[in-house]
Amino acid sequence: MKWQSPSNIAIVKYWGKKDVQIPINPSISFSLKHSYTTTEIVLKPKESKSAISFDFSFEGSQNTAFEEKILKYFGQVKDQFGIFDHHHLSISSSNTFPHSTGIASSASAMSALALCILSAEYPKGRISENEFNKKASYFARLASGSACRSIYPGFSVWGNLDGIENSSSHEASQLKNIHPEFNQLQDAILIVKSSRKKVSSSMGHSLMENHPFRDARIEQAQIHARQLTKALTNGDFETFSQICESEALSLHALMMTSNPSYILMEPESLVLIEKIKEFRKQSGLKLCFTLDAGPNIHLIYPLAVKEKIITFIKAELLSHCESGNWIDDEMGDGPKQLNV
Ligand code: PMV
């Protein structure tokens, strides 16, 4: 089994969870095209039914941190997959984006892993594509929350949302009725700092448990998710931008006001944000920013203005990136099975 599965960028952010990876609020993201993980699992028969057995290599070398995550995950799901009883799993994985860019890789890595074990259990044709995707998203969620949104092309929603058919906290689904304005959204990922995140997302999610703004945040995310789905249907880029930036800054504000508190932006993140706002004001072009739980800036814009935005990035922004580093990404078509 071999799958390539993309990372995704959230416009409405998942921040805070309960029970087993159930989000406290709905989130909406789009899958990327060029930032993805490729994972292959080779099944080797073992003599007798015994404990979970696997080996794992990331870009050709052993990686203990990943191995521990995978073992924990397999322990959680093994009863639902026959393959673990009689096989040793030889897993190899690699990313298209350099490991040192500070880009969260858990969404692509964990969705690729879930797709591999699922396709071993359900070879093509055994269940419908819809069912397969739903299960893949469910099992990806158990590995890493945001990974459940990477299963689909374009926009996905995860979490219960009034008026959105099939929306669920157990798995994501693809958002339909998207206006052509948002068809080929671009995401220029401006690398401010490539070192590892200051705080893991599990730690971040747990800080929401006793957060003084928890209830207000849940309400804000619900309102944003509803408004965003409307804006996506209507082709309303202005509302999209407002929500996108408010979500990014709210996520960082929640981190700043948690106990302990974290400041995840760097001075250059703020410089980039100001430059993007200023350029939008004087050019009148459609562009906006978002951030994950780190200092890098995602500059989001429609394909139609790509040439002008690239000129702006090169002239004004790259000097504020670490070693002029950035990734020219865009909305993608979701995961791809490579050995069919
Ligand atoms: O899936 P996790 O546990 O790595 O959490 C991801 C959280 C954010 O990236 C900050 C937001 C999101 O919705 O992707």
Side-chain angles (χ1 to χ4, degrees), residues 165-282:
E165 218 188 327
N166 300 327
S167 63
S168 160
S169 292
H170 296 277
E171 67 269 320
S173 52
Q174 192 184 354
L175 261 185
K176 301 281 171 57
N177 303 324
I178 305 291
H179 191 279
E181 170 87 339
F182 298 105
N183 271 355
Q184 278 176 287
L185 274 186
Q186 302 292 299
D187 179 6
I189 310 171
L190 304 162
I191 311 298
V192 168
K193 207 168 183 183
S194 61
S195 50
R196 276 177 65 84
K197 292 199 273 184
K198 274 190 203 161
V199 55
S200 70
S201 39
S202 329
M203 172 69 170
H205 292 300
S206 72
L207 291 172
M208 286 307 291
E209 274 163 35
N210 297 310
H211 200 288
F213 303 142
R214 179 187 162 96
D215 293 344
R217 165 59 193 158
I218 295 173
E219 197 186 337
Q220 179 200 40
Q222 278 164 349
I223 293 170
H224 277 166
R226 277 197 294 274
Q227 289 173 338
L228 184 66
T229 52
K230 270 198 204 112
L232 290 173
T233 306
N234 298 338
D236 177 356
F237 197 90
E238 206 179 315
T239 303
F240 173 90
S241 298
Q242 276 161 8
I243 295 171
C244 185
E245 295 185 356
S246 167
E247 278 289 314
L249 296 175
S250 298
L251 171 72
H252 282 257
L254 288 166
M255 292 305 286
M256 287 184 206
T257 49
S258 62
N259 183 16
S261 65
Y262 292 93
I263 298 178
L264 302 180
M265 285 194 225
E266 294 289 329
E268 295 294 350
S269 315
L270 295 173
V271 173
L272 288 169
I273 289 174
E274 285 308 323
K275 287 206 166 249
I276 290 167
K277 285 184 166 185
E278 185 53 38
F279 179 69
R280 177 168 60 213
K281 203 161 137 196
Q282 39 115 337

Side-chain angles (χ1 to χ4, degrees), residues 103-114:
I103 302 297
S105 57
S106 69
S108 55
M110 292 310 185
S111 54
L113 185 68

Side-chain angles (χ1 to χ4, degrees), residues 8-10 12-15 17 21 27-29 69 104 106-107 144-147 149 158 197 201-202 205 251 291-293:
N8 65 71
I9 178 69
V12 176
K13 310 287 182 184
Y14 150 53
W15 203 237
K17 59 181 164 185
Q21 307 270 82
S27 58
I28 296 177
S29 63
K69 246 188 144 176
S106 69
S144 165
S146 59
R149 298 185 311 236
W158 171 37
K197 292 199 273 184
S201 39
S202 329
H205 292 300
L251 171 72
L291 294 92
D292 261 334

